[in-house]
C-alpha cells in the first residue's frame, strides 16, 4: 500500500510573521515549520501503516510544495516515521492560491504513482494554519478523480474500505469509501507523536527528492500570484498590546467599577 501525505511549510505562529511587498506571505525571511494540523495527517498515516498486516509493505511518503526551506517540514515528517519525502520547489510557485497549489500537488501525486505505483490513500490535514481555507483536499480529490472522505475525527480501515467519523455542529456522521481515495483528518484524531532520537537519526538516511515544475510538466504560467484567483489587496500590522486597566477597591466601590467596565466593553 502507498500512502501520500500532503504537508505544508508554514510560518511559525509564535514568530514575527510578515508579508512581502506584494502582500504575499513571507515564507523565506521568517522561521517556518511543519503545519501542526498536517502533523495529525502524518500521524494517522503512520497508524495505518502500523496496523497493517504487513507494515513493511506500506510506504508513507510526505509531499510538500514550498520554498527550499520547506525541507524542514518534510524532514519533520520523516523524523516522525514517514518512509520518504518529496519537495516541489520552484520560484514560479510563490504566491500561488489554492487552485494552483492543488494543481501542483496533483501532478506530484501522479508522478509518484508513475514511479512507485498508485497511492491507495492521499492524506491531508483539515486546513493549513496560515490560510485556514480547508479547500485544497477537495480540489486535489477532484483533480485526481478520487472520492473524498474529509474532516475525519476517527479513521478505521478494513481491506480496501475506509470508514470515518465526522463531527459537525449538529450531528456526528459515519462516512465510508473504497480505496483509492483522498482522506483529510482533523485535530480530533489524537495527538501526533514526537520524533524520537532514533527517528531523528533514521530520517537522515531516508530518501528525500526535490522536483521542479518542469519535472512535473506544469507550465509556470499556470501558477503563482499573477494567475491567482484570490489576491490580498492590503495588510495592516496588528497594533501593539495596550496595558490593562486596574480596578482598585479601596473604598468598596471596586465591584461597581468592574461592572461598569464590563458593561462599557459590552461583555455584560
Amino acid at each position: 500500500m502507498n500512502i501520500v501525505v500532503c504537508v505544508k511549510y508554514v510560518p511559525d505562529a509564535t514568530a514575527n510573521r510578515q508579508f512581502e511587498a506584494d502582500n504575499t506571505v513571507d515564507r523565506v525571511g521568517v522561521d517556518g515549520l511543519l503545519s501542526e494540523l498536517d502533523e495529525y495527517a502524518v500521524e494517522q498515516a503512520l497508524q495505518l501503516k502500523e496496523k497493517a498486516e504487513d507494515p513493511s509493505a506500506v510506504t508513507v511518503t510526505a509531499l510538500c510544495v514550498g520554498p527550499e526551506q520547506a525541507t524542514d517540514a518534510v524532514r519533520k515528517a520523516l523524523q516522525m516515521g514517514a518512509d520518504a519525502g518529496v519537495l516541489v520547489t520552484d520560484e514560479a510557485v510563490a504566491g500561488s492560491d489554492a487552485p494552483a497549489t492543488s494543481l501542483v500537488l496533483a501532478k506530484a501525486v501522479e508522478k509518484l504513482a508513475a514511479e512507485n505505483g498508485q497511492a491507495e490513500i492521499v492524506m491531508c490535514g483539515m486546513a493549513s494554519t496560515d490560510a485556514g481555507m480547508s479547500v485544497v483536499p477537495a480540489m486535489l480529490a477532484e483533480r485526481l478523480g478520487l472520492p473524498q472522505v474529509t474532516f475525519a475525527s476517527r479513521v478505521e480501515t478494513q481491506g480496501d474500505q475506509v470508514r470515518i467519523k465526522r463531527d459537525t455542529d449538529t450531528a456526528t456522521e459515519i462516512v465510508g469509501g473504497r480505496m483509492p481515495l483522498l482522506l483529510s483528518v482533523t485535530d480530533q484524531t489524537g495527538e501526533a507523536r514526537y520524533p524520537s532520537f532514533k527517528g531523528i537519526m533514521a530520517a537522515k538516511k531516508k530518501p528525500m527528492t526535490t522536483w521542479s515544475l518542469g519535472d512535473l510538466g506544469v507550465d509556470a504560467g499556470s501558477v503563482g500570484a499573477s494567475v491567482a484567483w484570490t489576491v490580498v489587496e492590503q495588510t495592516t500590522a496588528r497594533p501593539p498590546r495596550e496595558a490593562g486597566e486596574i480596578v482598585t477597591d479601596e473604598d468598596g466601590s471596586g465591584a461597581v467599577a468592574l461592572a461598569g467596565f464590563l458593561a462599557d466593553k459590552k461583555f455584560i
Side-chain angles (χ1 to χ4, degrees):
M1 175 188 292
N2 291 323
I3 302 176
V4 176
V5 187
C6 300
V7 299
K8 189 175 184 181
Y9 178 75
V10 299
D12 187 346
T14 63
N16 183 24
R17 293 178 291 180
Q18 56 193 17
F19 291 86
E20 300 278 12
D22 59 358
N23 290 330
T24 58
V25 177
D26 181 3
R27 302 184 184 278
V28 177
V30 299
D31 293 333
L33 40 71
L34 170 61
S35 174
E36 180 182 357
L37 293 175
D38 290 339
E39 290 186 11
Y40 295 99
V42 176
E43 175 63 29
Q44 289 305 304
L46 296 176
Q47 288 193 25
L48 291 178
K49 176 183 176 75
E50 293 166 354
K51 294 174 182 177
E53 292 184 6
D54 181 8
S56 64
V58 180
T59 300
V60 177
T61 302
L63 170 62
C64 180
V65 178
E68 292 182 2
Q69 291 87 340
T71 303
D72 293 343
V74 181
R75 189 66 62 188
K76 174 69 176 293
L78 295 178
Q79 292 171 352
M80 292 174 66
D83 301 294
V86 175
L87 172 63
V88 180
T89 183
D90 197 299
E91 291 184 359
V93 175
S96 293
D97 57 359
T101 300
S102 67
L103 170 64
V104 177
L105 286 172
K107 293 299 183 181
V109 172
E110 291 173 351
K111 183 173 175 61
L112 281 169
E115 295 182 355
N116 306 319
Q118 183 179 28
E120 280 75 14
I121 297 178
V122 177
M123 188 91 72
C124 300
M126 62 184 288
S128 61
T129 55
D130 59 342
M133 296 180 68
S134 299
V135 297
V136 168
M139 291 181 175
L140 180 55
E142 177 67 19
R143 291 188 184 278
L144 293 173
L146 294 177
Q148 56 178 302
V149 285
T150 55
F151 296 103
S153 61
R154 189 175 66 197
V155 180
E156 297 177 349
T157 61
Q158 185 175 4
D160 65 347
Q161 303 290 318
V162 176
R163 186 167 67 173
I164 70 165
K165 184 178 81 167
R166 178 191 296 150
D167 298 314
T168 69
D169 292 337
T170 58
T172 295
E173 303 172 343
I174 303 298
V175 183
R178 177 174 294 171
M179 302 179 197
L181 54 71
L182 181 139
L183 169 65
S184 73
V185 301
T186 72
D187 55 359
Q188 300 301 309
T189 51
E191 287 295 324
R193 68 192 68 187
Y194 290 100
S196 64
F197 177 75
K198 181 179 179 181
I200 293 173
M201 298 305 294
K204 297 180 180 180
K205 299 180 181 180
K206 293 178 179 179
M208 175 75 183
T209 305
T210 301
W211 290 335
S212 66
L213 292 181
D215 295 324
L216 303 180
V218 176
D219 181 7
S222 61
V223 299
S226 62
V227 295
W229 292 19
T230 56
V231 177
V232 177
E233 296 184 348
Q234 183 179 1
T235 63
T236 303
R238 181 166 47 190
R241 198 171 199 177
E242 298 180 356
E245 182 175 335
I246 300 176
V247 176
T248 59
D249 189 20
E250 297 177 354
D251 56 359
S253 62
V256 175
L258 179 59
F261 172 80
L262 295 175
D264 290 341
K265 300 296 183 180
K266 301 187 184 301
F267 292 143
I268 59 174

